[in-house]
Amino acid sequence: MLDERPIEASSIQPPQFFHRHIGPTAKDQAQMLAQLGHTDLEDFVQEVIPRDIFDRNPHLGSSIPEGCNESEALEELQAIADKNSPKRSLIGLGYHGTVMPSLIQRHVLENPYWYTAYTPYQAEISQGRLEALFNFQTLISELTGLPIANASLLDEATAAAEAMSLSFAVKRKGQQASRFLVDIDVLPQTLAVLRTRAEPLGIILDISIPSDFNFGDDVFGMFLQLPGKSGQLWDPSFCIAAAHEVNALATVAIDPLAQVLMAPVGELGVDIAIGSAQRFGVPMAFGGPHAAFFATRETFKRLVPGRLIGQSLDKEGQIAFRLALQTREQHIRRDKATSNICTAQVLLAVIASFYAIHHGAEGLELIARRVISLRVKFEDCLRELGYPLELITRFDSIEIYCNQAPKVHELASLAGINLRVLPLGSSVDKSKGFGVSFDEVSNDKELNILCQIVAESIGKKFNPLQNKTVKIEDTFSDVPLRKSRWLKQSVFNIHRSETDLLRYISRLSTKDFSLVHGMIPLGSCTMKLNSAAELAPISWQKFASLHPFAPLEQAEGYLHLFQDLESWLSELTGFAGVSLQPNAGSQGEFAGLLAIRKWHESRNQSYRNICLIPQSAHGTNPASSVMAGMKVISILCDKHGNVDLNDLEIKAREHASDLAALMVTYPSTHGVFEPKIREICELIHSFGGQVYLDGANFNAQVCLCKPGSYGVDVCHLNLHKTFCIPHGGGGPGIGPIAVASHLLPFLPGHPLVQCGGSNSIGAVSASPWGSAGILPISWMYLRMMGIKGLRKASSIALLSANYIASRLSPYYPVLFNGLEGLVAHECILDLRPIKRSSGIEVDDIAKRLMDFGFHAPTVSWPVTGTLMVEPTESESLQEINRFCEAMIAIRAEVDEIIQGESDSTNNPLRLAPHTLSVVTADEWDRPYSRQKAAFPVPALAQNKFWPAVSRIDNAYGDRNLVCTCSVFE
Amino acid sequence: MAFDFPKNFRFADSHEYALFEGDLVRVGISAFAVDQLGDIVFVDLPDVGTVLTRGTSFGSVESVKAVEEMYAPISGEVVQRNDSVLSSPEDLQNDPHGEGWLLLISPAEPAHVEELMDAGSYADKIASN
Ligand SMILES: Cc1ncc(COP(=O)(O)O)c(C=O)c1O
């Protein structure tokens, strides 16, 4: 076989990117094929994929350009970015200008040590980001005055919806109550998402001015926005008391910068505080990604959506962090979960935490005070000019309704400034008012320009403002201010110089195992290359600085990018259209199921509410179905791991009258291409249901088969798996949905920006195109790969997984095989026989892999007691072999236990992982050598990754939950 | 692992036990269930005065790796709750048939206790799985 890497001098074109994306060389591929008894990659792939869905010629009629190298793609993307013409935005509404310190941009956002890590499932090699998230939780807890804060949610609007769901779950336990009181001053996008999430659960939103709230026994919760979208701040104590009077929970959406100076809402009695940490150093990026936060009282800690980092102890009694209360996760609660959130916004939460460490309490206060003083001076100017200024207490925002609003907007635009157009959603020439939100970037110069604009609009001359000092306390006579010192924890106080913070960031990052160190073969996670060229454009100002509600003329580059991606992803999935709005797979599932629900409704069959879900499905599937108002019926799997067709037919028939959908993962979570997928889709359609495909495993299908052409109606994709968006240590992600033409009218929309279908399900995310700011990553990937590269990538992903299955099956049985005994892009190794014969658990092997310099595969999912291995196309044969050899060496260690040569408890598996301090301690009382403990194979001498802590005690941490730093360290 | 199920205990399919104490019935979960769950970290129990219906969920028990609902083996009213397992779930872990009991119930239908499995049948059922 010819090496495809062009090496001859005669090749004039620089090599295409895909050669660098794909790990195994042509020679390696030949060797891997030989291991499987094959000689030709194409023949091999045809054996893996069921014949009746195989796409022989994905080039045919393709709109995806031929692949290229990174400079060509970057040049093209630069031209697209240049079509964006971002102005300075003072629009506010949950998105504000902020300054990401260069240190954080360079050493966190643009640092693969941080962005290529996965969710910290293997805590012993994730202490860095776990500590950073612990700091984030501490920051949020200090800000809000509530003891329990989670490690981020997808955006402020979904955080509000999570608060609503939690309140609903609490009250439902007691009495029937379905009314949720919502402050009329709520952000429009938050209200839209609350609407979308309330309807399927039968929740009634009762929207009014808080002083008019109609509290009654049918109210389960109340939602306030402070400051409101109008900018108003007020003391919510009376409302909170009234909510508690009827046993309803009180939620407040806060602005973290305002909260720096205001009395923590927790002290005013609120039960839940939510908000967005965007203005703590994260660019607006046309809507995301940004970390939302969620804080609550101790009582509700077991109902907190998303992940919570907790402190525990390791085997040596050292403090160590890990994911706490993991049984809260939908993986285990399934259809009993109140939330479906999985991937969150870890990287952005980490950035916000470092921003707070960089500034400390004093620095944050300074920013808040500066913003207020600008707002006060602008109020003075407006008053002097005779503008009708309502007498309310404000933080950073002012709204004015006046006849000359169109003129104000026109002049602002000429000065390169976007103001909020009032009423929201109206055009500039029809506008009746304008709004201004000051932010960290604002200064006196900007203020002067604004003053000039408002003066000129009414034909007056503007006198530059006197330099007056503003006493903050005077402007907040009627709202409670923060009284005591806060953020006293040492981490927020000892890293004031850039040198110190650089070292702290670096020290944390070296504790984490990321793709920088070696393969992360997590099944169902697709930990492929996140190339530098794909990542570079997200820092470009033309992408990063745009406000999501800026006039669309300023976002032409983005619109071009969306159009490219929508058409490319539609083509790859075989569907008619795509919505880029969902912020993660979980949100895609919810959006797709709602589209199905709405389609049934449009055909007067709204009674269809049964969702069939195979037992093997990811926990988000049943959780999303329940959120979409459906009832889950579980479908059995047969002994090959496939959907049990018999059971499926029985249950579909039984529910012929009320079947809404089947949710199926393909290739299945068991890592095989079920041969009967076409039949399954036909069966569901014949009973009036729709087929939802969970596209988490789409990496096995790209350019090899298309869900839209084998009978699926809607699927989501995880751009953070298949399309190279890095996992960021647990987010960001993007979970677009692709739909067949009959579902197009229902695609998600937005209250302020024209997008989505004509009969939209509403908004599922706060911003119209979700996490637009990271879409350039997937664009670069697709543009550089082209059809040829993409098809090659999927083929190698299949080859690598099968190679591993074949090499390891003599040592560990491969649990499920598909056609011809082949797996798809991942394989499940069954460790249960080992447990029976040696007592060694799957966790012991996962931890022992750390000693060998590996991140474990997925542990005990979807089958307890197994490991699921997904190598992806990006890992070289050398790395794959290194992994196989580690697994084989571990198997030999297990045999030593079985044969009695090694102690059944005091052995390197049960006591893994081994830290540097343990193996270099003066004392060593174990029956195996230190060498065997830490350097079980010779190659480790050249390249050793040390776990930061020994095995962590999960039970201790869950029984004694600590999820914020103490002040005394 | 062999389990020792006291002879005077009765067991439900879902692994709860019931045992007469005078007119009242003591309820807990079996040593087998505790073993299956692993490290127990949290127990959720109903308040005194709650009326339970046979076969419906009355609380949950959470371990590091799973969370399971517990179902009332009989109908009746909760007259006492073992608050010590709430604060130290280890009690349930270490002594499920003794210190780790959960509720004391005033049975609505005392005869229902007899309809549960006796210790021998329960042991056989577990062994056959
Ligand atoms: C099969 C499957 N479905 C759904 C999801 C949820 O996706 P996300 O984490 O993006 O919400 C995952 C994520 O790991 C998955 O593996």
Side-chain angles (χ1 to χ4, degrees):
Chain A
M1 191 173 195
L2 278 180
D3 194 324
E4 279 182 67
R5 293 177 188 220
I7 39 166
E8 312 101 76
S10 66
S11 58
I12 303 159
Q13 292 294 323
Q16 284 190 16
F17 166 78
F18 80 85
H19 295 288
R20 299 204 151 266
H21 175 80
I22 290 171
T25 62
K27 196 161 142 253
D28 296 340
Q29 292 167 27
Q31 193 186 327
M32 293 158 87
L33 284 165
Q35 167 87 21
L36 300 165
H38 275 271
T39 50
D40 184 74
L41 185 61
E42 192 69 18
D43 289 347
F44 158 77
V45 168
Q46 286 195 37
E47 280 201 1
V48 177
I49 299 187
R51 203 165 298 260
D52 63 346
I53 65 168
F54 187 67
D55 185 359
R56 254 161 234 293
N57 200 346
H59 294 270
L60 227 61
S62 172
S63 71
I64 300 176
E66 201 185 318
C68 62
N69 64 36
E70 59 176 60
S71 343
E72 288 169 298
L74 282 168
E75 197 177 316
E76 221 171 278
L77 188 60
Q78 184 68 64
I80 294 172
D82 285 342
K83 289 168 54 178
N84 285 334
S85 45
K87 292 197 160 99
R88 166 86 172 117
S89 279
L90 301 176
I91 298 170
L93 296 175
Y95 303 92
H96 303 269
T98 176
V99 181
M100 178 187 288
S102 301
L103 169 72
I104 296 176
Q105 170 160 346
R106 204 175 172 84
H107 295 280
V108 184
L109 177 68
E110 296 175 352
N111 181 350
Y113 281 74
W114 288 101
Y115 68 69
T116 66
Y118 199 73
T119 302
Y121 289 131
Q122 296 297 334
E124 293 83 356
I125 51 173
S126 308
Q127 289 296 302
R129 62 193 181 284
L130 283 165
E131 182 170 330
L133 290 171
F134 201 72
N135 293 340
F136 177 76
Q137 293 177 175
T138 304
L139 165 69
I140 299 306
S141 171
E142 287 280 305
L143 267 175
T144 59
L146 290 164
I148 308 284
N150 77 1
S152 81
L153 291 175
L154 292 166
D155 61 21
E156 178 169 349
T158 54
E162 298 291 357
M164 175 175 74
S165 298
L166 188 155
S167 308
F168 192 47
V170 168
K171 184 76 178 222
R172 217 169 16 174
K173 271 191 162 174
Q175 50 185 287
Q176 288 302 319
S178 58
R179 206 148 52 84
F180 191 58
L181 302 174
V182 181
D183 181 355
I184 199 161
D185 216 8
V186 58
L187 294 175
Q189 67 272 25
T190 298
L191 179 60
V193 171
L194 285 175
R195 283 205 163 102
T196 311
R197 297 271 288 257
E199 191 270 332
L201 299 176
I203 292 173
I204 297 150
L205 299 187
D206 190 346
I207 304 152
S208 68
I209 312 171
S211 54
D212 290 351
F213 275 160
N214 175 14
F215 290 98
D217 273 343
D218 61 336
V219 171
F220 67 86
M222 169 190 81
F223 181 88
L224 306 175
Q225 181 99 40
L226 276 173
K229 71 167 187 281
S230 67
Q232 185 171 9
L233 262 175
W234 48 283
D235 183 346
S237 308
F238 75 96
C239 261
I240 295 166
H244 289 164
E245 195 80 4
V246 293
N247 244 334
L249 299 195
T251 296
V252 177
I254 59 160
D255 174 331
L257 194 60
Q259 190 67 87
V260 162
L261 298 174
M262 303 294 121
V265 286
E267 288 175 12
L268 309 179
V270 312
D271 302 289
I272 303 170
I274 61 111
S276 165
Q278 179 267 320
R279 71 190 307 181
F280 278 18
V282 180
M284 289 186 278
F286 206 43
H290 309 134
F293 53 82
F294 187 106
T296 187
R297 299 199 277 124
E298 189 78 23
T299 327
F300 305 120
K301 66 185 177 197
R302 293 193 131 73
L303 291 168
V304 170
R307 308 193 201 276
L308 193 63
I309 312 304
Q311 191 176 294
S312 188
L313 299 176
D314 78 353
K315 250 189 99 341
E316 310 302 317
Q318 313 264 16
I319 285 183
F321 304 103
R322 88 282 177 255
L323 297 172
L325 306 184
Q326 275 307 281
T327 46
R328 305 288 93 208
E329 292 273 320
Q330 12 59 24
H331 303 291
I332 285 156
R333 305 284 297 179
R334 300 182 81 85
D335 55 335
K336 292 204 190 70
T338 46
S339 165
N340 66 346
I341 183 158
C342 187
T343 292
Q345 302 282 19
V346 166
L347 187 66
L348 298 312
V350 167
I351 289 173
S353 81
F354 284 129
Y355 175 92
I357 292 170
H358 171 91
H359 287 291
E362 301 76 39
L364 294 172
E365 280 165 25
L366 209 65
I367 297 167
R369 282 171 187 275
R370 201 171 62 227
V371 162
I372 291 169
S373 107
L374 291 166
R375 185 265 300 159
V376 170
K377 290 182 197 168
F378 192 50
E379 277 176 334
D380 287 350
C381 161
L382 289 164
R383 222 175 274 121
E384 223 164 275
L385 291 166
Y387 277 85
L389 194 63
E390 240 189 297
L391 264 179
I392 54 171
T393 303
R394 303 181 169 85
F395 172 59
D396 61 354
S397 303
I398 304 173
E399 285 195 343
I400 301 270
Y401 280 85
C402 59
N403 291 334
Q404 60 276 19
K407 182 77 185 165
V408 173
H409 289 296
E410 187 194 315
L411 293 175
S413 177
L414 286 173
I417 295 174
N418 296 320
L419 301 179
R420 189 186 304 176
V421 181
L422 296 173
L424 295 178
S426 78
S427 65
V428 164
D429 47 318
K430 296 219 174 64
S431 76
K432 304 246 180 317
F434 65 92
V436 176
S437 291
F438 292 98
D439 59 37
E440 186 187 356
V441 183
S442 303
N443 54 24
D444 283 334
K445 193 169 147 221
E446 185 170 276
L447 176 68
N448 274 322
I449 296 172
L450 288 170
C451 292
Q452 231 146 14
I453 291 168
V454 288
E456 205 182 319
S457 316
I458 51 170
K460 289 201 180 161
K461 204 158 152 33
F462 156 73
N463 305 315
L465 291 165
Q466 305 305 318
N467 223 350
K468 83 169 207 186
T469 46
V470 177
K471 195 141 181 287
I472 305 296
E473 287 69 17
D474 295 348
T475 88
F476 291 111
S477 51
D478 56 345
V479 292
L481 294 178
R482 187 181 286 273
K483 294 226 170 54
S484 38
R485 272 194 62 214
W486 66 300
L487 228 46
K488 289 186 286 189
Q489 294 80 358
S490 75
V491 64
F492 294 102
N493 292 286
I494 61 171
H495 301 108
R496 220 22 46 78
S497 77
E498 177 154 336
T499 302
D500 283 335
L501 184 52
L502 167 65
R503 289 181 188 151
Y504 180 56
I505 290 175
S506 162
R507 192 163 77 242
L508 291 190
S509 71
T510 55
K511 293 182 181 185
D512 284 14
F513 190 99
S514 67
L515 284 177
V516 169
H517 303 98
M519 91 194 275
I520 301 181
L522 283 166
S524 206
C525 300
T526 313
M527 295 298 283
K528 58 166 71 177
L529 169 73
N530 314 117
S531 83
E534 287 154 7
L535 270 296
I538 64 166
S539 300
W540 295 350
Q541 279 312 302
K542 293 259 173 158
F543 284 131
S545 65
L546 229 76
H547 190 288
F549 309 147
L552 285 182
E553 312 81 90
Q554 292 166 35
E556 274 180 34
Y558 262 120
L559 296 178
H560 181 136
L561 185 88
F562 301 154
Q563 204 169 38
D564 278 353
L565 278 170
E566 284 170 11
S567 84
W568 296 347
L569 295 175
S570 297
E571 178 186 322
L572 295 176
T573 50
F575 280 119
V578 161
S579 165
L580 298 167
Q581 191 181 95
N583 273 324
S586 59
Q587 300 304 300
E589 292 172 20
F590 175 64
L593 289 173
L594 278 189
I596 290 176
R597 177 185 161 93
K598 196 119 187 177
W599 178 75
H600 286 308
E601 212 174 272
S602 74
R603 293 155 41 97
N604 298 320
Q605 301 195 347
S606 47
Y607 48 82
R608 289 191 173 270
N609 70 342
I610 297 294
C611 190
L612 305 179
I613 302 183
Q615 273 174 334
S616 56
H618 194 266
T620 48
N621 291 188
S624 303
S625 312
V626 171
M627 285 167 60
M630 296 184 185
K631 217 176 135 235
V632 176
I633 305 271
S634 194
I635 304 293
L636 302 176
C637 290
D638 65 18
K639 64 177 193 296
H640 304 294
N642 295 331
V643 172
D644 182 332
L645 274 180
N646 244 335
D647 194 48
L648 182 69
E649 178 157 5
I650 290 168
K651 286 175 177 154
R653 190 178 297 282
E654 189 181 323
H655 290 285
S657 62
D658 55 0
L659 180 63
L662 165 75
M663 269 188 117
V664 61
T665 307
Y666 202 71
S668 74
T669 56
H670 289 153
V672 290
F673 279 98
E674 307 197 17
K676 305 232 161 111
I677 187 70
R678 251 183 207 284
E679 225 171 282
I680 289 173
C681 296
E682 279 161 21
L683 181 83
I684 294 303
H685 287 149
S686 73
F687 289 107
Q690 292 274 288
V691 180
Y692 183 99
L693 185 134
D694 178 335
N697 292 341
F698 194 61
N699 204 44
Q701 297 190 65
V702 183
C703 293
L704 296 174
C705 55
K706 295 179 180 172
S709 64
Y710 53 79
V712 174
D713 300 291
V714 44
C715 76
H716 79 257
L717 303 170
N718 302 63
L719 299 191
H720 46 302
K721 297 180 181 181
T722 314
F723 297 101
C724 295
I725 289 178
H727 277 264
I734 304 185
I737 53 169
V739 299
S741 57
H742 64 284
L743 295 178
L744 280 176
F746 311 111
L747 286 179
H750 195 273
L752 298 182
V753 181
Q754 179 64 37
C755 65
S758 52
N759 185 12
S760 160
I761 55 169
V764 295
S765 303
S767 62
W769 289 279
S771 296
I774 49 175
L775 284 171
I777 301 170
S778 297
W779 187 95
M780 281 294 290
Y781 176 64
L782 288 165
R783 179 63 193 88
M784 292 193 290
M785 295 292 278
I787 297 284
K788 183 176 168 200
L790 290 168
R791 187 172 166 100
K792 186 91 184 181
S794 328
S795 304
I796 302 299
L798 300 176
L799 177 62
S800 295
N802 277 286
Y803 174 80
I804 290 177
S806 161
R807 274 209 68 187
L808 292 183
S809 60
Y811 306 91
Y812 305 91
V814 172
L815 191 58
F816 299 117
N817 287 303
L819 293 171
E820 319 287 340
L822 295 170
V823 298
H825 66 308
E826 58 195 5
C827 62
I828 299 181
L829 305 176
D830 192 355
L831 273 57
R832 292 169 299 185
I834 284 179
K835 176 169 182 199
R836 283 193 288 271
S837 54
S838 69
I840 291 297
E841 308 250 4
V842 57
D843 262 341
D844 299 323
I845 293 184
K847 303 302 174 195
R848 183 64 173 146
L849 274 166
M850 294 173 185
D851 290 331
F852 282 81
F854 279 100
H855 189 289
T858 298
V859 173
S860 283
W861 189 81
V863 182
T864 310
T866 65
L867 287 177
M868 180 156 68
V869 189
E870 180 182 1
T872 83
E873 69 276 13
S874 298
E875 294 302 336
S876 66
L877 179 58
Q878 198 181 331
E879 181 72 355
I880 289 172
N881 280 335
R882 190 171 77 89
F883 174 74
C884 292
E885 280 144 26
M887 288 298 292
I888 292 167
I890 289 173
R891 181 64 236 236
E893 291 181 353
V894 172
D895 285 338
E896 287 169 20
I897 297 167
I898 296 173
Q899 281 146 23
E901 293 158 21
S902 179
D903 190 85
S904 66
T905 51
N906 197 351
N907 63 54
L909 289 149
R910 293 300 281 273
L911 299 178
H914 297 84
T915 62
L916 182 59
S917 67
V918 166
V919 298
T920 55
D922 286 342
E923 308 246 319
W924 180 262
D925 56 3
R926 303 187 183 177
Y928 54 95
S929 73
R930 296 169 200 244
Q931 176 84 19
K932 179 156 183 169
F935 295 95
V937 290
L940 286 165
Q942 308 303 317
N943 186 11
K944 173 73 187 169
F945 182 89
W946 289 101
V949 294
S950 297
R951 187 86 64 99
I952 298 174
D953 185 343
N954 283 317
Y956 177 85
D958 278 359
R959 287 175 184 155
N960 308 281
L961 185 68
V962 176
C963 60
T964 57
C965 316
S966 71
V967 175
F968 317 98
E969 285 178 59
Chain B
M1 187 163 169
F3 296 96
D4 190 20
F5 301 117
K7 291 279 171 287
N8 52 341
F9 280 43
R10 294 267 165 175
F11 295 88
D13 272 346
S14 46
H15 308 292
E16 295 79 13
Y17 65 76
L19 127 107
F20 274 115
E21 273 188 15
D23 290 342
L24 302 177
V25 175
R26 191 181 287 270
V27 169
I29 61 172
S30 79
F32 172 75
V34 165
D35 180 65
Q36 291 289 299
L37 280 162
D39 290 331
I40 293 173
V41 297
F42 180 68
V43 183
D44 187 20
L45 295 175
D47 294 328
V48 169
T50 309
V51 177
L52 308 181
T53 312
R54 177 162 73 154
T56 62
S57 164
F58 69 81
S60 61
V61 53
E62 184 176 324
S63 72
V64 179
K65 60 185 183 195
V67 56
E68 291 294 340
E69 302 276 325
M70 297 181 289
Y71 299 92
I74 55 162
S75 300
E77 186 183 331
V78 179
V79 294
Q80 208 185 326
R81 177 173 82 173
N82 183 1
D83 284 349
S84 84
V85 298
L86 301 183
S87 51
S88 63
E90 298 91 322
D91 286 357
L92 172 57
Q93 189 96 57
N94 299 334
D95 189 11
H97 299 157
E99 292 287 295
W101 64 277
L102 301 175
L103 303 171
L104 210 52
I105 291 178
S106 164
E109 201 66 72
H112 281 169
V113 174
E114 302 306 324
E115 291 172 23
L116 298 166
M117 276 178 273
D118 62 24
S121 325
Y122 181 64
D124 291 346
K125 182 186 136 137
I126 290 168
S128 69
N129 277 343

